[in-house]
């Protein structure tokens, strides 16, 4: 039985016209995940996304604790000067122009030693990679040479070569040699064998493989060895100046040590660390740029 009142007009639902705008899909309802109208959730910040931020934060905390300990008298400033005193001394030495004159000789010795070590290590690393006989004959002696400290080699270099730039450069080269050699052999041994075999099927010879396949593919590993070796080369230059004399940062450290100038020692060490970090960062940037090609 119909419940419609008598005399009331019967209404029928009308179909929407063609030109009428359709209501939004999610109107009045919850937003569907993945739709443009849905709220986007922010990803939690990754603390390792910017490694320099973590390193900077740790450095600030250490310096603050250091400054507080020296200001409170917990640590004698003679043995461990306050960071503020070191910064003031560093500024005075830099503006006076005396400190920068010691940087150039150390940098020259380190760069020359790194270049000399690379010239010897790169072809020898390729020889060790190519020849099993060379690998078996040279590897024990190369490994044993790393047990000899640089301080023990320096007096011998003075007797054999004399004083000056040459013995310090040779000492730096000896320290750089092993990291570059090891990185070269590792880079060549981890090549993609499928790529090498395909190049050989195309008729590539030994030198063509080295130039177009092995060299470019092993370059990131070689650059890693050069980067790590250069920092050791800076250490070798300082050790050489300690023992064999010179005009670099090693000589400056020796002068401050003899006069018990701990503030000057720390100021020189800050410059030495900044030099090594700058070189390391530049070589890292070069390595990343070459890897993108």
């Amino acid at each position: 039985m119909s419940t419609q009142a008598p005399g009331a007009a019967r209404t029928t639902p009308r179909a929407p016209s063609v030109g009428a705008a359709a209501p939004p899909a999610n109107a009045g309802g919850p937003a569907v995940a993945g739709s443009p109208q849905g709220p986007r959730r922010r990803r939690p910040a990754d603390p390792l996304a910017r490694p320099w931020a973590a390193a900077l934060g740790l450095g600030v905390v250490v310096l603050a604790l250091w400054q507080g300990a020296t200001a409170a008298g917990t640590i004698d400033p003679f043995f461990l000067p306050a960071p503020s005193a070191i910064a003031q001394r560093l500024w005075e030495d830099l503006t006076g122009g005396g400190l920068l004159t010691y940087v150039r000789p150390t940098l020259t010795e380190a760069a020359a030693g790194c270049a000399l070590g690379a010239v010897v290590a790169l072809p020898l690393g390729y020889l060790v990679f190519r020849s099993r006989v060379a690998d078996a004959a040279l590897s024990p002696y190369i490994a044993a040479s790393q047990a000899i400290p640089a301080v023990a080699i320096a007096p011998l270099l003075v007797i054999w070569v004399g004083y000056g730039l040459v013995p310090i450069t040779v000492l730096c080269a000896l320290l750089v040699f092993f990291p570059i050699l090891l990185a070269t052999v590792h880079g060549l041994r981890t090549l993609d064998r499928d790529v090498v075999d395909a190049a050989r099927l195309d008729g590539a010879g030994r030198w063509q493989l080295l130039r177009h396949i092995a060299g470019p593919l092993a370059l990131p590993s070689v650059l890693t060895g050069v980067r790590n070796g250069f920092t050791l080369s800076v250490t070798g230059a300082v050790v050489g100046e300690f023992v064999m004399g010179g005009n670099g940062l090693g000589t400056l450290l020796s002068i401050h040590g003899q006069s018990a100038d701990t503030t000057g020692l720390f100021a020189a060490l800050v410059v030495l660390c900044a030099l090594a970090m700058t070189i390391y960062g530049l070589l890292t940037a070069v390595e990343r740029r070459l890897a993108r090609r």
Side-chain angles (χ1 to χ4, degrees), residues 2-3 19 35 104 112 125 169 172 187 195 202 227 235 243 252 262 265 284:
S2 173
T3 58
S35 64
R104 182 179 299 176
T169 301
C172 295
V195 176
D202 290 338
R227 181 183 62 192
T235 304
V243 180
L252 181 62
T262 54
L265 280 171
T284 302

Side-chain angles (χ1 to χ4, degrees), residues 90-290:
L90 181 62
W91 175 255
E92 293 174 355
D93 292 345
L94 289 175
T95 54
L99 186 58
L100 294 179
T101 57
Y102 292 94
V103 176
R104 182 179 299 176
T106 301
L107 185 59
T108 302
E109 295 158 357
C114 186
L116 179 60
V119 167
V120 178
L122 290 176
L124 192 59
Y126 182 73
L127 177 63
V128 171
F129 164 71
R130 291 291 304 179
S131 174
R132 294 183 179 179
V133 176
D135 186 12
L138 296 176
S139 294
Y141 297 103
I142 294 174
S145 65
Q146 300 307 302
I148 304 175
V151 180
I153 302 176
L156 292 174
L157 292 176
V158 172
I159 297 173
W160 294 341
V161 184
Y163 294 92
L165 177 63
V166 176
I168 299 177
T169 301
V170 173
L171 180 63
C172 295
L174 292 175
L175 295 178
V176 171
F177 168 77
F178 186 73
I180 298 180
L181 173 70
L182 193 63
T184 302
V185 175
H186 175 73
L188 292 173
R189 286 179 176 174
T190 55
L191 294 177
D192 191 347
R193 302 306 306 174
D194 294 336
V195 176
V196 176
D197 294 338
R200 286 176 177 171
L201 290 176
D202 290 338
R206 178 179 300 179
W207 297 111
Q208 291 176 334
L209 283 174
L210 177 61
R211 179 180 178 182
H212 299 288
I213 303 297
L217 292 179
L219 184 59
S221 179
V222 173
L223 289 178
T224 301
V226 173
R227 181 183 62 192
N228 295 330
F230 205 111
T231 55
L232 293 177
S233 185
V234 175
T235 304
V238 173
V239 172
E241 291 167 355
F242 267 129
V243 180
M244 296 176 278
N247 300 318
L249 291 173
T251 303
L252 181 62
L253 289 171
S254 180
I255 293 173
H256 288 326
Q258 293 176 0
S259 60
D261 185 3
T262 54
T263 306
L265 280 171
F266 273 96
L269 289 175
V270 168
V271 174
L272 186 61
C273 293
L275 178 63
M277 291 174 61
T278 302
I279 296 171
Y280 190 89
L282 290 176
L283 292 177
T284 302
V286 171
E287 180 182 351
R288 290 178 178 176
R289 185 170 183 179
L290 292 177

